[in-house]
Amino acid sequence: MTIAILASAAPQARLAAQGAPPASGAVWQPRGVQSLEHELAIRPHEAVDLVPDKTYTLAELIDLAQQSNPETRVAWQEAKSKAAALGIARSALYPTISAVAVAVTLRTATLIGEFFHRQTEGIFEPVLHVEYLVFDLGGRSGEIDAAKANLLASDLGFNDTHRRVIYQVASAYYRLLNAEGQRQAAEVSLENAKTVEEDAKARLANGLATKPDELEATAARIQADYDLQAAVGVVDIARGDLATAVGLEPGTIFKVQGIDELKLPSSIADSVDQEIDRAVIQRPDLLQQLARVRAADASIKRVRSTYFPSLSFTGDGGLARAYGQQDLLPGSYAQGEVWDAELELKWTLFDGAGRENRIAQAKADKKAAQAQIDVLRDQIANQVWAAYSDMQTALRQQQAAAALLTASQQSYEAAHQAYGYGVRNLLDVVSAQKVLAQARSEDIAARTRLLLQVTNLAFRTGDLIQIQHWSPGP
């Protein structure tokens, strides 16, 4: 009975493990998930050595990311794979030599006169087998050209990955600086609000202010504290984003260079036309598309080679040791040299229009790749134009924000001083404080936005991977 139950239950268990989930209303837990979870848990994370208490500049963070970010490692391995594919294509130019050992035993009946005579044979042949394609009029060279183009495209893709990683790190870095600046601005605003609140309480105690004045000051202080807590949360998120872009765990603690230590650009050196022209020359993704056109050309060459004959050589050479016996007579052994050589001239005359269709397909792929170049060139020009305009706007906004901060600081100090003399009321001071807080926030945002737009323009033109055109340092 036990055997019958197990026999009937086993097929059902196999079906449950190998089939689809039994219903749509519940989460399925297949057996293989646990082993995958265990494998993922024990898989080590790539360690990055950080110097304790070191303040990292953007250039140093980018260097860490280029070594630690998994995207660069993926692109690197893909380029190595394409390099190996080129080696495989080139190997077709050389002969293939194999060591072969053949052991055969057979028994047959041979008709001799009026009778069948049983014959038994055993043969053992260790030989070298050679295969060589003598010529094929473009097939192998087309494969090699395609592999070269694919390798070039992969290398350019590797460069483009670095361009994107650099931009990701720089963007996350400037977002962190903005968040840190907003937090510092919120702390200063909170201190100002506390000062105003203390002044209001002192004046109320001396009969120089009203209770609503004190409540207004307290509400302003609480609002400033609320804004500070929100800014602290944004800093934590921005720090995690930067750590992830570098290739670190999101909770990794490290110091970065502050925005006050960075030099802001005061003008744009090149015209937008110069930026666009440089982008068309430098952008690795556009160059990568050109490499794909080369690969399409090589594919056409490879397919056209099938219209022509190919000549192949095959041969074997070695020794043979054999045993033979007829009927029940005594058997005998023999050995000797064996070889064979063959030249094959092959010419496909008809294949149901397969070659014609393959050539049409290859030509269509080439035209599509060429058209994609035009699409990408237009996109790059538009991206550079927009980035150039954004940088100009950010530069003007930063200059206006700096002037606004200076004026708001002077206005707040004047209002606070006049309030001490009893010339202005508390609402005027609270209003000036709010304007100053907003101006301080906009100044930080404008500075980081300008630096981010500089990086964005360098990203769009391809300058991020051209040291002579762009440097992330102050």
Side-chain angles (χ1 to χ4, degrees):
M1 179 62 71
T2 303
I3 296 176
I5 292 176
L6 291 176
S8 62
Q12 295 178 1
R14 287 196 297 270
L15 288 175
Q18 298 175 0
S24 62
V27 177
W28 189 41
Q29 295 294 338
R31 293 180 181 179
V33 170
Q34 294 181 353
S35 61
L36 293 176
E37 291 174 348
H38 176 70
E39 181 180 348
L40 187 61
I42 63 176
R43 184 179 180 86
H45 189 275
E46 292 289 338
V48 181
D49 294 330
L50 295 177
V51 180
D53 299 326
K54 175 181 174 59
T55 299
Y56 284 90
T57 64
L58 176 56
E60 292 170 331
L61 292 173
I62 289 174
D63 184 59
L64 284 175
Q66 288 179 303
Q67 300 177 43
S68 306
N69 191 297
E71 292 184 26
T72 60
R73 297 200 300 272
V74 170
W76 182 39
Q77 295 300 331
E78 289 177 349
K80 291 172 67 176
S81 174
K82 292 298 187 293
L86 175 58
I88 294 172
R90 283 175 171 164
S91 68
L93 297 175
Y94 302 94
T96 301
I97 303 176
S98 306
V100 182
V102 179
V104 179
T105 180
L106 62 141
R107 175 169 291 175
T108 61
T110 303
L111 179 63
I112 300 178
E114 300 178 356
F115 302 97
F116 281 99
H117 296 270
R118 185 182 69 181
Q119 293 184 343
T120 302
E121 295 182 45
I123 302 173
F124 176 71
E125 291 186 8
V127 297
L128 289 178
H129 177 73
V130 179
E131 294 182 7
Y132 181 48
L133 179 60
V134 180
F135 70 84
D136 61 354
L137 297 179
R140 290 174 295 179
S141 61
E143 288 280 358
I144 293 173
D145 291 343
K148 287 180 179 179
N150 289 331
L151 174 58
L152 179 59
S154 184
D155 290 342
L156 291 168
F158 174 73
N159 292 345
D160 197 48
T161 299
H162 276 274
R163 181 178 71 100
R164 288 186 283 105
V165 167
I166 292 172
Y167 179 68
Q168 291 170 5
V169 174
S171 300
Y173 172 74
Y174 291 132
R175 288 196 299 270
L176 176 59
L177 293 189
N178 179 60
E180 289 278 9
Q182 298 298 336
R183 179 185 60 79
Q184 295 172 3
E187 289 175 347
V188 174
S189 298
L190 179 58
E191 291 300 321
N192 290 341
K194 288 180 178 179
T195 300
V196 173
E197 183 184 26
E198 291 172 359
D199 290 346
K201 289 182 178 179
R203 292 176 65 83
L204 178 62
N206 294 325
L208 300 177
T210 63
K211 187 64 176 178
D213 290 337
E214 180 191 14
L215 295 176
E216 181 71 24
T218 301
R221 189 261 304 166
I222 295 174
Q223 179 64 48
D225 186 41
Y226 175 84
D227 294 338
L228 174 60
Q229 301 311 315
V232 169
V234 174
V235 170
D236 292 338
I237 295 175
R239 186 173 296 278
D241 291 341
L242 178 57
T244 302
V246 172
L248 305 171
E249 294 288 347
T252 305
I253 303 299
F254 55 94
K255 298 179 181 179
V256 299
Q257 190 177 32
I259 189 172
D260 293 333
E261 303 177 51
L262 302 182
K263 182 180 179 181
L264 297 177
S266 57
S267 61
I268 302 178
D270 297 330
S271 66
V272 64
D273 291 334
Q274 290 174 316
E275 300 284 358
I276 292 175
D277 292 340
R278 196 163 68 251
V280 171
I281 296 174
Q282 295 181 164
R283 280 282 289 264
D285 50 346
L286 181 58
L287 298 175
Q288 185 180 28
Q289 191 60 36
L290 284 169
R292 293 194 179 105
V293 173
R294 288 188 183 180
D297 273 329
S299 297
I300 295 175
K301 178 182 178 182
R302 183 178 64 247
V303 176
R304 280 177 175 167
S305 70
T306 59
Y307 279 99
F308 304 100
S310 62
L311 180 64
S312 302
F313 168 81
T314 58
D316 296 292
L319 298 173
R321 180 173 176 82
Y323 168 81
Q325 182 182 14
Q326 186 171 7
D327 294 330
L328 298 178
L329 298 175
S332 61
Y333 290 92
Q335 67 178 19
E337 178 185 357
V338 294
W339 60 268
D340 67 83
E342 177 183 344
L343 280 176
E344 180 186 51
L345 182 65
K346 182 178 179 180
W347 193 356
T348 301
L349 301 178
F350 178 74
D351 65 349
R355 291 173 294 185
E356 288 80 357
N357 288 313
R358 282 192 290 271
I359 286 181
Q361 181 184 30
K363 288 182 176 179
D365 291 340
K366 177 183 176 181
K367 290 182 179 179
Q370 290 173 331
Q372 187 61 35
I373 291 176
D374 296 333
V375 172
L376 191 55
R377 183 186 284 113
D378 292 342
Q379 291 177 349
I380 289 173
N382 184 59
Q383 291 170 0
V384 173
W385 177 273
Y388 189 89
S389 300
D390 288 340
M391 182 177 173
Q392 285 184 318
T393 302
L395 181 60
R396 293 193 298 266
Q397 286 180 326
Q398 186 274 323
Q399 294 169 348
L404 176 62
L405 178 59
T406 301
S408 299
Q409 181 69 40
Q410 294 173 350
S411 175
Y412 169 74
E413 292 174 353
H416 188 266
Q417 186 177 12
Y419 175 69
Y421 293 143
V423 180
R424 303 285 293 272
N425 58 41
L426 184 64
L427 293 178
D428 295 331
V429 179
V430 171
S431 177
Q433 173 205 333
K434 291 180 179 179
V435 172
L436 176 59
Q438 182 66 24
R440 187 177 290 110
S441 175
E442 290 177 354
D443 177 67
I444 294 294
R447 284 193 284 169
T448 54
R449 188 184 303 114
L450 175 57
L451 292 171
L452 181 59
Q453 292 306 327
V454 170
T455 304
N456 182 47
L457 180 59
F459 171 67
R460 300 302 179 184
T461 59
D463 285 344
L464 285 184
I465 52 176
Q466 306 293 328
I467 303 301
Q468 65 270 26
H469 289 146
W470 185 82
S471 175

